[in-house]
Amino acid sequence: QKNGVSNGTLYKKTFIEHFEQAPMYVAVLTFLGFGVGTIFGYLRDFMRAWGLEKRNVAAEREQQKDFVPLYQDFENFYTRNLYMRIRDNWNRPICSVPGPQFDLMERVTDDYNWTFRFTGRIIKNVINMGSYNYLGFAETDVNALKTVTIELQKYGTGICSTRQEMGTLDKHVELEKLVAKFLGVEDAMVFGMGFATNSMNIPALVGKGCLILSDELNHTSLVLGARLSGATIRIFKHNNMQSLEKLLRDAIIYGQPRSRRAWRKIIILVEGIYSMEGSIVRLPEIVSLKKKYKAYLYLDEAHSIGAVGTTGRGVVEYFGMSPDDVDVLMGTFTKSFGAAGGYIAGKKELVDFLRTHSHSAVYATSMCPPVAEQIIRAMKCLMGLDGTTQGLQRVRQLGKNTRYFRRRLHEMGFIIYGNDDSPVVPLLLYMPGKIGAFARRMLEKNIGVVVVGFPATPITESRARFCVSAAHTREMLDTVLNALDELGDFLHLKYSRYSKSSHPELYEETRFELED
Amino acid sequence: FFSQIDVHLELEDQLAKFMRTEEAIIYSYGFATIASAIPAYAKRGDIVFVDEAACFAIQKGLQASRSNIKLFRHNDMADLERLLKEQETEDQKNPRKARVTRRFIVVEGLYMNTGDVCPLPELIKLKYKYKVRIFLEESLSFGVLGEHGRGITEHFGINIDDIDLISANMENSLASIGGFCCGRSFIIDHQRLSGQGYCFSASLPPLLAAAAIEALNIMEDNPDIFQTLRTKCARIHEALQGISGLKVVGETFSPALHLQLEESCGSRENDMKLLKRVVDYCMNNGIALTQACYLEKEEKCLPPPSIRVVITVEQTEQELDKAASLLKEAAQSVLN
């Protein structure tokens, strides 16, 4: 019998995650803010219905006025009244590569965000804290893109066929071998789009009579794939192992709901890093649960591949586990590799099955060759196969930047969610009015941020999400942090009650000399 | 977030101008275009009438939307009218529910699975008579039909505003990756917030968007390539008639036609093996062909096994004739 923490030997390094709750007055004020917005929304709708105010929304055709209306009035209430007020913070078009800095097209609105007009001016060198450019491969350096231009001239851009018919090129075969080598598994298969990888392969792997246990905060592509498959879906609380274990035990004891037969397959769907929370999955515990109850594990490493781990191989390496423990490793190339597309990797039987039975292999076009070449180049750089240590340097730089950024934000007193090692940093704003104010003022200081509100997040927890990149220099991060400091004081965003002091050495002092 | 680049905006503008609609929206994958567009409008409880030979992407979009699906026989307007009448009598029983259930018809311009064209003028009449909205999927007919390549609406001379939504993928005619939906702003704007493949997914790489813009420019500058394509299609259609054992399925002006076995050997597997031998014979002698692949267990109405013959405008007349004669030879040697 051992005393001590129950999972003490599973985690090889400390796993620190924070999800601090804000003081009660913040929640009250947030609800109040939404309430005021809703009342004004009803007022505006009333005035619009009675013709006292202009209707700016596009309307149905005259000939089709007596058709059943396409949109319910209430469905769009939120969009019309609350989202429209701060709509200028989303869908901002840029006109350069989304590297650590980019050029933004200036946009003004004459009628309170109903329509936009481009002034033609370009705001240069806005610091980019919103793009998923974790390793900085979104670059236009001519030397780096040499091989891509050669491939473009050799193959062109279009494939015009599906994988099974005529769309498998030698580039795909090369890429798949490289991906398998990178992850340390037997075989891999690549697809043209990351979202489609999930929604088209989960239905091929599970069907009716199977059970899917999915995390509360899974991405829409996983939810869509699970729904399309026809299996029964049960949801466990975010990263909560007790909830997952309870579901597993119930599934095995009680079986299928009406016939009480055993489930054909039980599969657990989790993500490596959750993009809205910044939390990392508790992989060692899930793998031990999976082995105990004999379930399968599907790990979606969209954000974590390339971003965590000592050599950038994802959460599996971060926890020091072997890739054989995870049954299906899935990931996308959009985030860390600066390309587009997704992959599924695992044992050879799994990948061979997917080559014949995946919806994407039979009906959807394959990846285009220049994009495949970009991934090959990025992966070779990461693995060190191009002869330089640039890849490893990028991973180390990302780790340093992440830790520095998070530490400084903690010291300033903001509430940050997530694991200390994840490059996705959500900063809580809570109140709806502050969402618009925050994003606009940051843009004035030449920093581009992403803000998210309801319905992507719970209604009281609107946030700004920063994505740290290996391409950010210390000066850029310092500029952003200073701006955040100022803005935090101005907008009263420093809610944290546990702020660490920025002078820890004073606490180490054990002998205080009193002056007489 | 920050993924809309000026190239995307340019492509959307150019597509909207080309198709003469108010607005267009770009998706980064062809399959995801129609599979995200349908669930954005059709929800649980709505009714969708769809053709039997609709492609797999449409079927997945319908499955994700959870609406009631009513299949009508391929290109059979009488069958569709019967279903619409049945729905009307149902509506009269429950007028309150009928006032909120939306109704849609989903058809393709040129069907991928059969090579036929849909009878659009009759569909428009049915639309106004029974008050249903039409979604048109033009993956194969965009850049092929019509005087300037605008698709089936130009081919039949129909006002494009009569169609509620036109969706197409850029992977066939424009040789890029991705897809687009075009129509009136009233309809397209909704997808910017509720189209799952648009909001929750990365956008098209700028390389491919630029390639699509260039392809559109070529299409606008040389409007006579469409006529050339149609003559070549007619030529090969003509040349492939009369092959013993294989029948040609598809319209004369369709660039993708199917060759099906005239009499099947009994089981689907044996049919497919036979067709594979034909394809292999042709491959060994310099013509690349492929069998049309389907996921047998997942399709709602499985089309019979066939070889798909696809034409490009760049092929010369000699090449087309050579291909036709080789196919004749292959059929002779394998099937007799």
Side-chain angles (χ1 to χ4, degrees):
Chain A
Q1 250 195 344
K2 280 196 230 172
N3 284 332
V5 183
S6 57
N7 282 323
T9 50
L10 268 183
Y11 288 87
K12 300 194 175 83
K13 54 179 163 175
T14 44
F15 188 89
I16 312 173
E17 274 194 352
H18 310 263
F19 290 100
E20 197 185 322
Q21 280 226 328
M24 178 61 94
Y25 76 88
V26 175
V28 170
L29 285 177
T30 312
F31 277 118
L32 211 62
F34 274 110
V36 170
T38 319
I39 294 178
F40 270 99
Y42 277 120
L43 186 68
R44 279 268 156 82
D45 272 352
F46 177 73
M47 285 170 40
R48 270 192 275 261
W50 284 88
L52 293 169
E53 193 173 308
K54 256 193 315 182
R55 283 182 210 228
N56 281 326
V57 194
E60 180 73 89
R61 280 174 85 203
E62 279 308 317
Q63 297 96 321
Q64 291 179 213
K65 273 279 182 325
D66 50 349
F67 279 40
V68 179
L70 196 52
Y71 314 120
Q72 311 278 43
D73 262 343
F74 192 72
E75 253 170 42
N76 288 11
F77 181 81
Y78 178 79
T79 321
R80 264 202 313 271
N81 297 309
L82 293 163
Y83 176 72
M84 273 298 173
R85 287 170 186 269
I86 41 177
R87 194 164 84 114
D88 58 319
N89 296 316
W90 285 282
N91 292 341
R92 289 189 185 136
I94 68 181
C95 41
S96 71
V97 69
Q101 288 178 327
F102 58 70
D103 303 330
L104 197 62
M105 290 171 73
E106 201 188 8
R107 217 166 48 150
V108 292
T109 171
D110 303 314
D111 48 359
Y112 300 107
N113 287 349
W114 286 98
T115 56
F116 291 109
R117 184 171 54 90
F118 291 109
T119 59
R121 221 169 51 96
I122 299 180
I123 310 178
K124 289 215 170 274
N125 287 339
V126 181
I127 299 183
N128 183 2
M129 295 305 284
S131 296
Y132 310 127
N133 183 16
Y134 298 132
L135 292 175
F137 280 116
E139 55 195 1
T140 44
D141 181 23
V142 177
N143 280 336
L145 294 179
K146 228 179 1 202
T147 43
V148 182
T149 17
I150 299 177
E151 294 302 321
L152 180 60
Q153 281 168 344
K154 185 168 156 202
Y155 287 104
T157 53
I159 302 265
C160 310
S161 184
T162 64
R163 280 301 289 266
Q164 270 198 1
E165 291 178 8
M166 270 205 208
T168 309
L169 304 174
D170 52 352
K171 270 270 158 270
H172 294 135
V173 177
E174 192 189 330
L175 176 60
E176 286 172 3
K177 284 210 190 69
L178 195 62
V179 171
K181 193 162 153 209
F182 179 69
L183 294 169
V185 286
E186 286 175 26
D187 204 359
M189 182 173 178
V190 297
F191 303 95
M193 184 191 188
F195 184 99
T197 312
N198 275 330
S199 60
M200 295 204 257
N201 289 307
I202 300 184
L205 292 172
V206 290
K208 272 199 162 55
C210 303
L211 176 65
I212 295 185
L213 296 172
S214 109
D215 190 296
E216 215 179 4
L217 298 175
N218 267 340
H219 190 251
T220 318
S221 56
L222 287 166
V223 174
L224 186 63
R227 275 177 42 200
L228 282 177
S229 67
T232 318
I233 309 177
R234 298 215 177 126
I235 305 192
F236 63 92
K237 294 205 182 49
H238 178 60
N239 246 355
N240 187 332
M241 296 300 113
Q242 283 80 14
S243 164
L244 176 60
E245 180 156 19
K246 179 169 189 309
L247 281 180
L248 275 168
R249 293 173 83 97
D250 284 343
I252 297 194
I253 297 173
Y254 294 114
Q256 296 191 21
R258 259 166 280 196
S259 59
R260 297 288 190 224
R261 264 187 289 184
W263 293 101
R264 276 176 39 210
K265 263 187 274 210
I266 302 183
I267 191 163
I268 307 176
L269 292 181
V270 281
E271 290 188 36
I273 294 187
Y274 291 91
S275 54
M276 279 299 151
E277 306 282 314
S279 51
I280 300 188
V281 66
R282 292 177 183 273
L283 198 60
E285 293 177 59
I286 293 194
V287 169
S288 64
L289 275 178
K290 151 187 123 79
K291 285 187 182 151
K292 179 173 169 190
Y293 294 101
K294 305 225 180 358
Y296 294 107
L297 183 58
Y298 183 106
L299 181 64
D300 177 344
E301 293 212 73
H303 286 265
S304 51
I305 188 80
V308 287
T310 35
T311 57
R313 281 166 168 73
V315 275
V316 171
E317 191 188 24
Y318 177 75
F319 288 111
M321 312 186 61
S322 115
D324 297 327
D325 289 330
V326 182
D327 300 294
V328 189
L329 283 158
M330 178 262 166
T332 60
F333 298 116
T334 334
K335 278 63 177 207
S336 305
F337 297 95
Y343 68 85
I344 289 201
K347 297 223 163 13
K348 194 159 188 338
E349 294 112 23
L350 170 75
V351 180
D352 284 341
F353 176 81
L354 281 179
R355 281 191 214 280
T356 42
H357 287 85
S358 155
H359 301 184
S360 157
V362 183
Y363 292 107
T365 355
S366 39
M367 195 187 269
C368 94
V371 174
E373 178 56 36
Q374 158 72 2
I375 303 172
I376 292 179
R377 152 186 105 83
M379 225 175 236
K380 281 195 179 149
C381 179
L382 255 187
M383 284 164 53
L385 289 177
D386 61 340
T388 65
T389 51
Q390 215 196 44
L392 219 49
Q393 274 173 347
R394 285 179 195 247
V395 179
R396 297 261 161 83
Q397 183 67 31
L398 177 65
K400 271 196 281 201
N401 283 354
T402 311
R403 279 191 291 275
Y404 176 68
F405 198 67
R406 276 182 175 265
R407 180 171 60 85
R408 285 285 304 271
L409 282 177
H410 261 301
E411 283 170 9
M412 285 188 211
F414 291 102
I415 295 189
I416 314 277
Y417 271 9
N419 195 309
D420 268 354
D421 285 317
S422 96
V424 178
V425 186
L427 192 153
L428 271 285
L429 295 172
Y430 297 106
M431 299 184 202
K434 296 194 184 178
I435 305 176
F438 187 80
R440 286 177 198 144
R441 277 170 201 271
M442 288 298 266
L443 190 58
E444 276 167 28
K445 294 188 206 270
N446 245 14
I447 300 174
V449 297
V450 164
V451 283
V452 218
F454 184 76
T457 61
I459 196 157
T460 42
E461 293 177 12
S462 337
R463 58 198 71 175
R465 187 180 71 179
F466 296 100
C467 292
V468 185
S469 156
H472 283 136
T473 59
R474 203 32 104 86
E475 292 85 41
M476 286 187 220
L477 289 181
D478 281 334
T479 327
V480 176
L481 286 164
N482 291 337
L484 279 176
D485 207 0
E486 264 181 68
L487 210 54
D489 287 327
F490 179 72
L491 287 175
H492 298 288
L493 287 173
K494 299 188 178 173
Y495 298 118
S496 175
R497 290 173 280 192
Y498 307 118
S499 51
K500 281 197 285 223
S501 163
S502 44
H503 299 282
E505 67 270 17
L506 285 178
Y507 289 93
E508 254 77 90
E509 185 79 48
T510 47
R511 281 166 23 106
F512 284 96
E513 298 283 332
L514 281 176
E515 262 112 40
D516 291 317
Chain B
F1 299 141
F2 291 115
S3 65
Q4 256 204 329
I5 308 193
D6 49 355
V7 202
H8 293 139
L9 293 176
E10 209 185 308
L11 180 56
E12 286 183 4
D13 276 334
Q14 215 168 339
L15 275 168
K17 277 206 200 69
F18 181 74
M19 294 293 285
R20 297 209 196 122
T21 57
E22 280 180 16
E23 212 176 313
I25 181 176
I26 310 265
Y27 283 85
S28 54
Y29 206 44
F31 190 96
T33 313
I34 192 70
S36 308
I38 296 182
Y41 303 103
K43 313 269 184 208
R44 201 184 277 268
D46 294 334
I47 305 174
V48 184
F49 300 95
V50 69
D51 194 299
E52 267 182 352
C55 70
F56 194 70
I58 296 183
Q59 288 173 26
K60 282 293 143 184
L62 292 171
Q63 199 183 347
S65 74
R66 304 247 186 262
S67 332
N68 296 340
I69 311 216
K70 304 220 156 92
L71 294 163
F72 63 89
R73 268 194 298 271
H74 178 56
N75 267 353
D76 189 349
M77 292 296 112
D79 202 20
L80 177 59
E81 184 140 18
R82 173 184 64 87
L83 283 173
L84 284 166
K85 278 209 175 69
E86 275 173 20
Q87 184 57 38
E88 213 180 5
T89 43
E90 284 266 342
D91 284 345
Q92 279 159 356
K93 285 185 211 156
N94 196 345
R96 268 188 80 193
K97 186 168 162 209
R99 245 179 296 143
V100 285
T101 22
R102 298 175 273 250
R103 268 147 266 181
F104 302 98
I105 298 181
V106 179
V107 277
E108 289 187 45
L110 255 180
Y111 288 92
M112 182 80 131
N113 293 347
T114 60
D116 292 328
V117 70
C118 82
L120 205 54
E122 281 106 54
L123 275 172
I124 303 281
K125 285 201 206 98
L126 285 175
K127 167 184 165 153
Y128 285 112
K129 188 167 165 199
Y130 292 97
K131 312 229 185 319
V132 271
R133 295 175 196 264
I134 300 192
F135 285 174
L136 191 59
E137 222 264 303
E138 289 222 68
S139 292
L140 217 45
S141 51
F142 178 74
V144 167
L145 294 181
E147 228 184 275
H148 296 275
R150 292 199 178 96
I152 194 171
T153 43
E154 208 183 14
H155 179 79
F156 281 119
I158 294 178
N159 179 9
I160 201 155
D161 280 339
D162 275 334
I163 312 282
D164 294 279
L165 180 80
I166 298 187
S167 133
N169 73 21
M170 305 196 278
E171 292 161 7
N172 298 340
S173 299
L174 292 180
S176 166
I177 305 260
F180 67 91
C181 284
C182 60
R184 298 187 65 241
S185 294
F186 175 67
I187 303 196
I188 301 291
D189 231 5
H190 182 70
Q191 278 182 47
R192 290 193 199 272
L193 275 184
S194 60
Q196 288 191 332
Y198 186 77
C199 307
F200 293 105
S201 168
S203 56
L204 198 55
L207 169 73
L208 298 167
I213 295 182
E214 202 43 51
L216 265 181
N217 287 342
I218 295 180
M219 271 168 74
E220 282 178 6
D221 291 335
N222 320 1
D224 43 346
I225 51 175
F226 306 114
Q227 191 50 40
T228 332
L229 179 64
R230 275 195 289 270
T231 25
K232 293 202 176 153
C233 294
R235 196 194 172 92
I236 195 130
H237 195 97
E238 182 83 37
L240 287 176
Q241 301 283 4
I243 302 188
S244 61
L246 290 176
K247 64 175 182 221
V248 181
V249 174
E251 297 271 340
T252 20
F253 45 76
S254 152
L257 28 96
H258 289 255
L259 287 170
Q260 290 175 1
L261 288 171
E262 265 179 14
E263 20 175 281
S264 126
C265 322
S267 77
R268 194 188 169 91
E269 243 193 81
N270 290 342
D271 284 347
M272 288 180 69
K273 282 201 185 111
L274 212 52
L275 287 172
K276 185 161 191 320
R277 281 167 57 195
V278 176
V279 170
D280 285 338
Y281 186 100
C282 292
M283 282 278 223
N284 290 339
N285 292 331
I287 303 283
L289 285 174
T290 172
Q291 274 199 17
C293 294
Y294 304 105
L295 267 178
E296 272 139 45
K297 299 200 189 84
E298 309 271 340
E299 287 261 1
K300 281 223 171 87
C301 302
L302 194 54
S306 59
I307 302 181
R308 191 184 294 132
V309 179
V310 187
I311 326 264
T312 348
V313 79
E314 305 252 323
Q315 286 161 345
T316 63
E317 321 249 304
Q318 291 92 339
E319 289 173 348
L320 291 178
D321 290 334
K322 175 175 172 221
S325 56
L326 192 58
L327 264 169
K328 279 203 177 81
E329 253 182 66
Q332 288 280 21
S333 69
V334 172
L335 296 172
N336 290 348

